[in-house]
Amino acid sequence: MSRVVVPAQPIGPLPEAWRACVGTGRLNLALRSDYRDSLALTQRAIGFRHIRGHGLLSDDMGVLRESQGVTRYAFSYVDQVHDAFLGLGIKPFVELGFMPSALASGDQTVFWWKGNVTPPRDYREWTDLVQAFLRHSIERYGLAEVASWPVEVWNEPNLVDFWQGADQAEYFRLYEETARAVKDVDASLQVGGPAISPGADEWFAPFAEFVASRDVPIDFVSRHAYSTGPAQHIPFGVYQTLLTPQALLDQFDAPRRELAGTGLAGLPVHITEFNTSYRPDNPIHDTAYNAAYLAPVLAGGGDLVDSFSYWTFCDVFEEQDVPTSLFHGGFGLLTHRQVPKPTFHLYAFMARMGAQVLARGEDHLVCADDDGRVTVLAWQPVGGTQGDAAASSHEVRLSLPVAGQGTAFVTRERVNDQDGNAFAAWRELGRPMSPTERELDLLRDLARPAVSHAALPVVDGRVDLDLTLARHEVTFVEVRPVRSTVHDGLDDRRLLGADDDRLVAEAPGAGRAARLVRGTEGR
């Protein structure tokens, strides 16, 4: 195969859209220690900017209380959740929903935890609650902080499960009443929608016409993106067919395509949920395949939208029911009890990429920092259900620009069907539903990416990097120029107390260390 010569001059900054937001289970779950431990780990490794989830105004958050004819707003749980988020360096991406039972016009609910999805019985009561929440937040955190929280009106109103009758006209009324209420609190607050699901792009044109014709405030538009087919049900789970990764990118681009020529053209676009499967019980989420599938989406999605929010950061999540097994096909980057999945490592690798993009291809992303560090994210392309079966290996050959001459220090981390794959280890362990503490420690150990390092020669300001990827692999490489330091009297030939070359370092680019970095050891 030919070698890709990576240019030394950047083509632009690496967009931050991939980590601008992440999804979460309903907000009440943020009161749990397992949830908070998972979010803390996620923030240390990845550092998402915003977090979005359902249930801010649902009954289990206790925001609207009644006693002996007296109604009171109570934000104790909301404060605990938002305090925890901000303490971990992540801001709320506010989803206004679902309807408190005391304000609801009906009793239709969704999910195991019964979020009410009916319109308000009285829109003034609804907007009073929205404004009370916003004013309370401003008083607690300051206007500048709250103005950095996008406010999204509802979730997937095009689906009968999430909005009674999928009534478009009623949603448009909800949006108008809510958006005006938000802006009446302060004009600097950001508000948007319609947060529609895949397959509902026909909502965009009438939504744009409604907003424009009535001069309704809107600061951004939102949509969701998933790439799986209908659910094939099994006990406590599903299987689904899977489209190509390009299908997700096409969905990312849908709002701009649909809104071209309307009054909403040019507004920021937020994909406020995305993943392979829209189900919280599809085992594809737990696999290395999922990571390889999403790698080109993370690498290229920032060209299309302002944010795309992975649904979700951890498996503390209870939409269908309470999970019955550690690995159960949950959306999360982490299982319960903080066992990283392969897709967690994909995100952690992205977090360590350089600030400037040097090159991007169908199986690689190359970035650089001003200090000379060059980073590579490489993956084996996969094509979904109708795609060809992945080969046992995949080759990536790059010529990288590296400052100076001499040698470069190269480190490589790998995640594939075997390495850095706790799901594979769990299967080999017998698929325990509730692992012991020792088994959890073992799974966390085996979830770590395989790591290798070597010195490679720099010739004419370039390093030739030849990578052999295993099946469904995502790999991360760092290349650093070596600035050698002289240690007087130090001679590796004397490590055994005599003139002996058995412990002398191998020449750059030669030997087992270099083969490990290339992925060819044992081949």
Side-chain angles (χ1 to χ4, degrees):
M1 63 176 294
S2 60
R3 185 179 303 280
V4 175
V5 178
V6 175
Q9 291 301 313
I11 59 178
L14 179 64
E16 286 275 296
W18 65 272
R19 68 170 164 192
C21 189
V22 71
T24 170
R26 75 180 190 278
L27 294 191
N28 177 273
L29 298 174
L31 301 172
R32 299 185 187 175
S33 61
D34 189 16
Y35 177 108
R36 294 193 182 190
D37 290 345
S38 293
L39 185 57
L41 174 58
T42 300
Q43 287 303 94
R44 288 195 301 271
I46 300 167
F48 289 106
R49 310 311 191 208
H50 289 83
I51 187 167
R52 172 192 176 273
H54 308 320
L56 172 69
L57 303 178
S58 293
D59 289 348
D60 65 358
M61 288 298 284
V63 296
L64 189 65
R65 315 310 299 158
E66 294 181 321
S67 176
Q68 299 183 18
V70 176
T71 299
R72 176 182 294 174
Y73 300 130
F75 297 113
S76 175
Y77 281 5
V78 172
D79 291 345
Q80 290 179 57
V81 170
H82 287 171
D83 286 356
F85 287 168
L86 295 172
L88 290 171
I90 193 166
K91 299 172 180 284
F93 192 120
V94 176
E95 176 201 304
L96 291 176
F98 292 115
M99 193 61 59
S101 296
L103 301 188
S105 60
D107 58 7
Q108 180 185 339
T109 63
V110 69
F111 302 142
W112 174 83
W113 49 273
K114 299 188 182 304
N116 190 289
V117 294
T118 67
R121 67 188 181 191
D122 183 313
Y123 273 91
R124 179 60 183 269
E125 292 180 332
W126 165 256
T127 56
D128 283 350
L129 173 60
V130 169
Q131 290 186 327
F133 157 69
L134 292 171
R135 290 188 173 111
H136 171 81
S137 299
I138 291 168
E139 181 180 353
R140 188 176 185 86
Y141 305 111
L143 177 59
E145 175 60 42
V146 179
S148 69
W149 305 357
V151 178
E152 186 179 41
V153 181
W154 214 254
N155 175 77
E156 297 186 349
N158 62 290
L159 297 179
V160 294
D161 288 346
F162 289 104
W163 183 241
Q164 182 175 277
D167 188 327
Q168 187 178 90
E170 192 68 36
Y171 173 74
F172 288 177
R173 182 184 179 190
L174 178 80
Y175 181 82
E176 179 176 10
E177 297 275 1
T178 307
R180 294 194 190 282
V182 169
K183 292 295 187 178
D184 283 347
V185 173
D186 194 277
S188 67
L189 299 178
Q190 308 169 58
V191 66
I196 55 175
S197 72
D201 290 331
E202 68 275 8
W203 274 54
F204 276 122
F207 180 69
E209 181 180 357
F210 175 84
V211 168
S213 65
R214 297 180 62 84
D215 196 25
V216 180
I218 186 165
D219 298 298
F220 64 87
V221 293
S222 59
R223 185 196 196 271
H224 298 167
Y226 294 96
S227 55
T228 43
Q232 306 161 28
H233 292 272
I234 61 171
F236 302 105
V238 302
Y239 296 111
Q240 295 167 283
T241 56
L242 187 61
L243 299 173
T244 65
Q246 184 60 44
L248 279 177
L249 293 171
D250 291 343
Q251 290 181 58
F252 287 10
D253 197 36
R256 295 199 193 281
R257 291 197 311 267
E258 296 292 331
L259 295 171
T262 74
L264 306 190
L267 285 180
V269 175
H270 297 300
I271 304 298
T272 50
E273 292 180 22
F274 94 96
N275 206 321
T276 45
S277 170
Y278 56 83
R279 293 281 307 196
D281 50 3
N282 185 332
I284 194 66
H285 295 134
D286 300 332
T287 65
Y289 189 100
N290 202 70
Y293 181 99
L294 291 178
V297 178
L298 267 64
D303 292 346
L304 304 172
V305 293
D306 296 89
S307 75
F308 48 106
S309 179
Y310 187 81
W311 190 254
T312 58
F313 80 89
C314 80
D315 280 350
V316 181
F317 191 92
E318 297 173 349
E319 285 189 356
Q320 293 300 313
D321 206 334
V322 176
T324 61
S325 178
L326 180 73
F327 282 100
H328 59 273
F331 290 120
L333 298 171
L334 296 166
T335 71
H336 288 262
R337 312 291 293 278
Q338 300 84 55
V339 177
K341 302 180 188 181
T343 305
F344 177 92
H345 296 304
L346 167 64
Y347 270 88
F349 291 165
M350 280 290 293
R352 294 160 59 195
M353 292 295 288
Q356 297 293 321
V357 177
L358 298 183
R360 189 171 68 210
E362 66 175 8
D363 57 5
H364 64 272
L365 172 68
V366 184
C367 297
D369 284 324
D370 291 341
D371 63 2
R373 186 182 71 114
V374 177
T375 50
V376 177
L377 182 73
W379 58 89
Q380 182 186 47
V382 296
T385 303
Q386 298 300 317
D388 295 334
S392 60
S393 63
H394 177 74
E395 305 292 329
V396 177
R397 300 180 65 193
L398 304 171
S399 171
L400 302 176
V402 177
Q405 299 295 327
T407 63
F409 180 66
V410 181
T411 57
R412 178 179 177 184
E413 300 178 40
R414 302 188 304 281
V415 173
N416 50 51
D417 282 351
Q418 183 67 23
D419 298 314
N421 192 330
F423 178 64
W426 176 77
R427 291 192 294 192
E428 294 166 355
L429 197 58
R431 303 177 190 253
M433 287 192 287
S434 185
T436 65
E437 286 291 341
R438 178 67 191 99
E439 288 171 331
L440 285 169
D441 287 341
L442 183 61
L443 290 170
R444 293 187 193 105
D445 287 343
L446 295 172
R448 295 191 182 101
V451 181
S452 54
H453 60 87
L456 295 182
V458 179
V459 179
D460 296 329
R462 290 199 162 266
V463 166
D464 285 346
L465 185 67
D466 297 342
L467 302 173
T468 299
L469 279 63
R471 182 179 284 112
H472 305 152
E473 180 163 320
V474 176
T475 200
F476 174 74
V477 178
E478 283 186 297
V479 181
R480 302 172 183 273
V482 171
R483 297 171 178 82
S484 296
T485 301
V486 175
H487 294 258
D488 293 337
L490 188 63
D491 184 353
D492 291 348
R493 296 178 58 85
R494 298 179 60 187
L495 285 169
L496 295 176
D499 190 2
D500 190 320
D501 62 5
R502 282 178 289 173
L503 299 183
V504 173
E506 295 171 312
R512 182 172 181 270
R515 293 195 298 273
L516 283 169
V517 165
R518 295 183 179 114
T520 56
E521 177 68 13
R523 294 182 181 274

